[in-house]
Amino acid sequence: MWRVTLKGLLAHKLRLALTALAIVLGITFIAGTFVLTDTLHNTFTSLFGNVYQNVDLQVRGVAQLGSSGGSATRNALPQSLVASVRAVPGVAAAEGSVQGLNVQYVSPQGKAISTGGAPNIGVSFDPDQRVSALRLAQGGPPTTPHDVVMDLGTAQKYGFKVGQTVRILLPFAPPADFTITGLARFGTANNLAGATLAAFDLPTAQAILNRVGTVDSIDVVTSPGADKARVQRAIARILPPGVEVVTGQTVANEQTSAINSALAFFNTALLVFAFIALFVGGFTILNTFSIIVGQRTRELALLRIVGASRRQVFRSVLGEAAVVGLLSSLIGLGLGVLAAMGLEALLGAFGVTLPSGPLVFEGRTVVVCLIVGVGVTVVSAISPARRAVRIAPVAAIAEQQTEADIPLRRRFTWGAGITLVGIVALAYGLTKPLIELVGLGAVLIFIGVARLAPAVARPMSSVIGRPMAGMLGMSGRLGRENSMRSPRRTAQTASALMVGLALVSAIAVFGASLSGSAVSSINDALNADLIVTPVSNVSGAVPNAVVPVAAAAPGVTASSSIYTGKFELKGELNTLTATSTKDLSKTVNLAMAEGTSGSLAAGQLLIDTTTASAKNLHVGNVVPVTFAETGRSTMRIGGVFKANALIGRYLVSDGFYRAHYASTELPVAVLLRTDGSPTAEAAVTHALSGYPNLKVQTKAQFEQSQRAQVNQLLGLVYALLALAVIIALIGIVNTLMLSVFERTHEIGLLRAVGMRRRQVRAMIRSESVILAVFGAVIGIVVGTGLGIALSSSLRSQGITDIVVPVSSLVVFLVLAAVLGLIAASWPARRAARLDVLAAIASE
């Protein structure tokens, strides 16, 4: 039986290739994801290991908020502590350093240099290479308040040279010009994961970053032969409360762990899209093997006559699937490296910059891909294999083989039951929320709908095919009849496309709802006429010097600065928003449900209605809070406001905020109210012309920028989902090719009675369009429902408007028809080129 299986595969190489292609693409995506994330992990591990290879110990503040790793919030250290550490026996060198964000270069063209998501970092440069993370590649260190060392990556990208003057936008002072004295690498990399680096001497960096008299950490190198553990204990004894000393390896591990945590989400997101592609590929394989079993009815019955048992037939079909899965997985693994480079390029096109390094191909990648590839193929072939077992030996002598099907009532019962369970799981997962349950619910809904689809395949094919029958005449009518001939096959072929377009439609509804909610929330949240924000929404901030300049511009009557920071409430980490109270009502529409906004001036906390309900909090309650700078305390709730997208969940006054946060905190936006004069916007823009890292927008422009951000994210998701749609189209091609093979005799007779090649091609194409439109209609309906459910479940997170983008859904439907037409090109040409006499003679 094993030899029979292999000979059957070799006898149908084209069928093997088309069946394998769906799995090849999915496994390629999985392998590419693992290769890319493993490469990034190795790159960052090597990078931080190289940076801290000479640092034996580091003195730093104890973690105040967040985890204890590299992402924790820590307080600054007094600079006087550097001398005390340096005096500890066994310490060869001890140097303090500072670093901060929003130190941004201006390009030679006068534009702020943006990094596509990575931060603009300012640091102190330590010329002692034993403790410095920066390695000079050209030039020398900064020695005066007007010197800067630039990272080599930025210099190469924008053409900067040693000795050249560069303008830098500073967070706590007006922009200034600096002389580039050197170009440096971060460890062995040209920069830090795409970030720009501006390095100054320590006094200058402290002044620029508002760290005068303090340092962020102290790097220590021990004397040769010294006992590092003993030196660490000696340093610990002289440290004040709230300060700790750890090994350099600990710091490197924490930085690597923080990066890996971010990569874990990135890896999971890409794998989700890869498994979606494989899930769609599973429908394609199921349909292909179902058709193959139907076409091999006589062959399988003959095997039963000559002694093959039911178990052997079952194993034969699954063996064929296993071979296809194995070969597909091996090919997919080979293409994984190309996929990794393609994913990196795709993310780069959407503004995500990743560091480069040697590609890493782990053994785990091979094992996972082989298990998944073979597993998906075999599982998808189980149902056709069971159908093959039920073929009676008498079928070997039957003149016609009919395609056995599950009774309609049984199919409807199972389909409705699976769909109902999926809906319940999805609803429960969205309310908790439990993302795993949401995924399971969606999968069950797709499987249930796929089982229900044959019940409507015949009437829907009839309706969809009627216009083509009118336009194409006999070719259109035959294509329509062919689609109606086998409802199960039509439904199974369309199911793959149904899943792909359902996901695309769900994302479209979610994106439209998110965009619509953002716009309406902005209208409800803002009274301001102009909004000043950073060009970079990821890590940017508004320099302190900008606030008085913008407020003094002609036509401006009121201004408010918006701050955000982390704090803990009842032990839970949250985001706290702060704003000035003087002109609050003129710039922010704060609708109070309980209490008054005047309580902000008394240092009290305002919360939104959603938080008040979820945490059972009321005006007058006292809650425990923790701030990084001032530690644990309590706050009284002074009011409850209606949901406001700008403010978020928690609000305090800017005075309270500055008293409890580091002096290095900057506004994230400035809201301006004008007198309504048409020149006010131009006046503010002119006043801030020296800050190319900022943008001045009207409320309408701000709304448009929010839409643009949503659309950019949707574009990336659509690009990743495109693979699932492509696999679905491969399924249509595969089905049509097998259908042409199955109907060779029929096509030969049609050609013999006068049908032209052009009419044969039109018949196959019309059948393909019906399949594609049928799958698209079901997919759009299911996807719209999923999108509405997802958006509704996030109402408390700010999605207040449910928007169904009808125009986009219509475009998807038309695009599906076009893609169906394209998918039919090869099978249609193959059918048209059949030799008439040979086709008539075939069985």
Side-chain angles (χ1 to χ4, degrees):
M1 287 298 297
W2 181 241
R3 287 195 296 270
V4 170
T5 299
L6 292 179
K7 288 181 179 179
L9 285 170
L10 295 175
H12 302 90
K13 298 182 181 65
L14 178 61
R15 183 182 71 194
L16 171 65
L18 289 173
T19 306
L21 192 54
I23 295 298
V24 168
L25 292 176
I27 295 299
T28 297
F29 203 145
I30 292 178
T33 298
F34 278 127
V35 170
L36 178 60
T37 52
D38 288 342
T39 298
L40 292 175
H41 167 77
N42 180 71
T43 299
F44 281 114
T45 300
S46 301
L47 178 61
F48 287 114
N50 179 271
V51 167
Y52 290 100
Q53 64 180 346
N54 296 324
V55 176
D56 296 315
L57 304 169
Q58 185 181 87
V59 179
R60 64 189 187 182
V62 175
Q64 300 297 320
L65 293 178
S67 65
S68 59
S71 59
T73 302
R74 306 177 189 277
N75 289 333
L77 311 175
Q79 190 172 354
S80 59
L81 191 58
V82 177
S84 301
V85 172
R86 196 175 287 153
V88 173
V91 173
E95 300 294 341
S97 63
V98 297
Q99 68 177 28
L101 302 176
N102 307 302
V103 180
Q104 195 166 8
Y105 293 113
V106 177
S107 71
Q109 292 74 33
K111 296 183 178 181
I113 292 179
S114 180
T115 57
N120 305 109
I121 304 175
V123 299
S124 58
F125 184 90
D126 194 328
D128 189 338
Q129 293 294 287
R130 291 177 297 176
V131 296
S132 178
L134 298 178
R135 310 283 190 263
L136 280 170
Q138 300 176 29
T143 56
T144 75
H146 305 290
D147 294 343
V148 66
V149 168
M150 178 183 288
D151 65 280
L152 187 59
T154 300
Q156 291 175 340
K157 185 174 181 180
Y158 292 93
F160 287 107
K161 307 291 183 183
V162 173
Q164 188 174 344
T165 298
V166 60
R167 192 164 186 80
I168 300 180
L169 306 170
L170 306 175
F172 300 97
D177 293 331
F178 291 81
T179 300
I180 301 174
T181 62
L183 304 177
R185 294 185 174 91
F186 183 84
T188 56
N190 288 347
N191 59 22
L192 177 57
T196 64
L197 296 172
F200 313 88
D201 62 25
L202 181 59
T204 304
Q206 288 174 315
I208 286 174
L209 299 172
N210 207 17
R211 302 281 213 286
V212 175
T214 65
V215 294
D216 292 325
S217 61
I218 303 171
D219 291 331
V220 178
V221 177
T222 59
S223 303
D227 186 336
K228 296 178 183 179
R230 179 175 296 177
V231 175
Q232 183 177 3
R233 290 193 296 270
I235 293 175
R237 286 194 290 269
I238 68 166
L239 298 180
V243 182
E244 64 181 3
V245 55
V246 297
T247 64
Q249 187 60 50
T250 298
V251 178
N253 292 342
E254 288 178 350
Q255 297 292 342
T256 303
S257 178
I259 292 293
N260 289 340
S261 295
L263 289 178
F265 173 79
F266 174 68
N267 182 67
T268 301
L270 289 180
L271 285 178
V272 166
F273 288 102
F275 281 108
I276 287 173
L278 281 174
F279 181 64
V280 172
F283 280 97
T284 298
I285 294 168
L286 171 64
N287 188 45
T288 300
F289 274 90
S290 295
I291 297 174
I292 290 171
V293 168
Q295 292 176 349
R296 294 169 58 194
T297 299
R298 180 169 295 177
E299 173 190 335
L300 295 173
L302 284 173
L303 289 175
R304 292 292 311 283
I305 287 177
V306 298
S309 66
R310 292 178 182 271
R311 181 175 297 179
Q312 286 177 312
V313 172
F314 184 79
R315 288 176 177 176
S316 175
V317 176
L318 290 190
E320 185 173 339
V323 171
V324 172
L326 179 62
L327 292 176
S328 304
S329 301
L330 292 174
I331 296 172
L333 278 168
L335 296 175
V337 174
L338 296 177
M341 294 186 287
L343 284 171
E344 186 174 2
L346 174 64
L347 293 169
F350 284 91
V352 181
T353 304
L354 300 173
S356 58
L359 292 175
V360 177
F361 204 96
E362 297 280 356
R364 180 257 288 126
T365 302
V366 177
V367 173
V368 171
C369 288
L370 289 178
I371 291 175
V372 172
V374 175
V376 168
T377 311
V378 171
V379 169
S380 300
I382 288 177
S383 179
R386 293 180 60 191
R387 190 174 296 118
V389 167
R390 291 195 294 267
I391 295 174
V394 71
I397 58 174
E399 290 296 328
Q400 293 182 336
Q401 283 79 41
T402 58
E403 191 175 349
D405 200 1
I406 300 173
L408 184 60
R409 178 178 298 179
R410 181 180 169 190
R411 178 178 291 277
F412 181 83
T413 302
W414 275 101
I418 294 173
T419 304
L420 183 60
V421 172
I423 292 173
V424 172
L426 179 71
Y428 187 78
L430 288 173
T431 54
K432 279 305 174 182
L434 292 172
I435 189 64
E436 297 85 358
L437 207 54
V438 171
L440 176 62
V443 168
L444 291 176
I445 289 173
F446 289 140
I447 293 175
V449 171
R451 290 186 69 86
L452 289 172
V456 296
R458 189 186 300 274
M460 283 190 65
S461 297
S462 176
V463 173
I464 296 170
R466 189 167 288 118
M468 280 180 289
M471 290 186 296
L472 300 177
M474 181 58 68
S475 298
R477 288 195 295 275
L478 288 174
R480 178 187 174 210
E481 290 174 3
N482 289 334
S483 300
M484 297 168 59
R485 180 186 301 178
S486 176
R488 181 175 60 81
R489 180 183 300 185
T490 298
Q492 285 182 345
T493 305
S495 292
L497 188 60
M498 176 268 290
V499 174
L501 282 181
L503 293 171
V504 170
S505 301
I507 295 299
V509 172
F510 175 72
S513 300
L514 181 63
S515 180
S517 299
V519 171
S520 62
S521 297
I522 291 169
N523 284 326
D524 296 338
L526 287 177
N527 290 331
D529 300 309
L530 300 175
I531 303 97
V532 180
T533 56
V535 171
S536 172
N537 295 312
V538 177
S539 60
V542 179
N544 266 353
V546 164
V547 178
V549 174
V556 175
T557 59
S559 66
S560 295
S561 300
I562 305 295
Y563 298 83
T564 60
K566 296 295 183 181
F567 84 122
E568 288 183 0
L569 186 143
K570 291 186 174 182
E572 179 183 342
L573 192 64
N574 292 285
T575 299
L576 180 66
T577 303
T579 185
S580 49
T581 58
K582 179 183 176 183
D583 296 323
L584 178 62
S585 62
K586 297 179 181 179
T587 56
V588 179
N589 181 19
L590 196 65
M592 301 300 298
E594 295 181 47
T596 65
S597 60
S599 59
L600 286 173
Q604 296 183 1
L605 176 68
L606 300 186
I607 61 176
D608 72 342
T609 51
T610 302
T611 303
S613 175
K615 297 185 178 295
N616 194 28
L617 297 174
H618 305 280
V619 174
N621 289 160
V622 177
V623 292
V625 294
T626 304
F627 301 99
E629 286 287 311
T630 57
R632 295 181 179 179
S633 182
T634 59
M635 291 191 72
R636 183 178 298 277
I637 297 176
V640 178
F641 58 89
K642 295 180 180 179
N644 186 301
L646 176 71
I647 297 302
R649 299 166 62 188
Y650 303 96
L651 178 67
V652 295
S653 68
D654 58 346
F656 178 91
Y657 185 90
R658 286 194 294 268
H660 289 78
Y661 285 81
S663 57
T664 55
E665 294 292 331
L666 295 171
V668 295
V670 177
L671 310 179
L672 304 174
R673 185 72 176 267
T674 69
D675 57 9
S677 62
T679 59
E681 180 185 355
V684 174
T685 302
H686 176 73
L688 302 182
S689 59
Y691 295 89
N693 58 333
L694 300 178
K695 53 188 175 184
V696 180
Q697 296 175 302
T698 63
K699 189 186 294 188
Q701 291 170 335
F702 187 66
E703 291 171 357
Q704 184 59 38
S705 68
Q706 300 305 303
R707 284 198 188 96
Q709 291 179 41
V710 173
N711 291 338
Q712 184 180 34
L713 177 61
L714 289 179
L716 178 58
V717 174
Y718 287 153
L720 293 172
L721 283 176
L723 180 62
V725 177
I726 291 173
I727 291 176
L729 294 177
I730 291 172
I732 294 177
V733 173
N734 204 2
T735 298
L736 291 176
M737 290 294 292
L738 292 170
S739 178
V740 168
F741 171 78
E742 184 180 51
R743 290 165 20 213
T744 299
H745 182 73
E746 174 187 327
I747 293 172
L749 288 176
L750 290 172
R751 292 275 286 117
V753 297
M755 178 174 274
R756 298 178 181 179
R757 294 180 186 272
R758 175 176 55 81
Q759 291 175 308
V760 173
R761 289 194 296 267
M763 178 184 68
I764 302 298
R765 287 169 180 163
S766 63
E767 185 176 349
S768 178
V769 170
I770 292 171
L771 288 171
V773 172
F774 174 65
V777 169
I778 297 179
I780 289 172
V781 171
V782 173
T784 300
L786 290 176
I788 292 174
L790 176 61
S791 301
S792 300
S793 69
L794 296 175
R795 188 174 296 274
S796 62
Q797 305 300 318
I799 300 184
T800 56
D801 298 347
I802 307 300
V803 180
V804 178
V806 177
S807 59
S808 297
L809 300 181
V810 171
V811 169
F812 295 156
L813 184 61
V814 174
L815 186 60
V818 173
L819 292 175
L821 194 62
I822 295 172
S825 298
W826 185 21
R829 285 199 302 270
R830 187 178 180 87
R833 291 175 180 173
L834 288 175
D835 182 86
V836 177
L837 295 179
I840 294 174
S842 67
E843 294 185 2

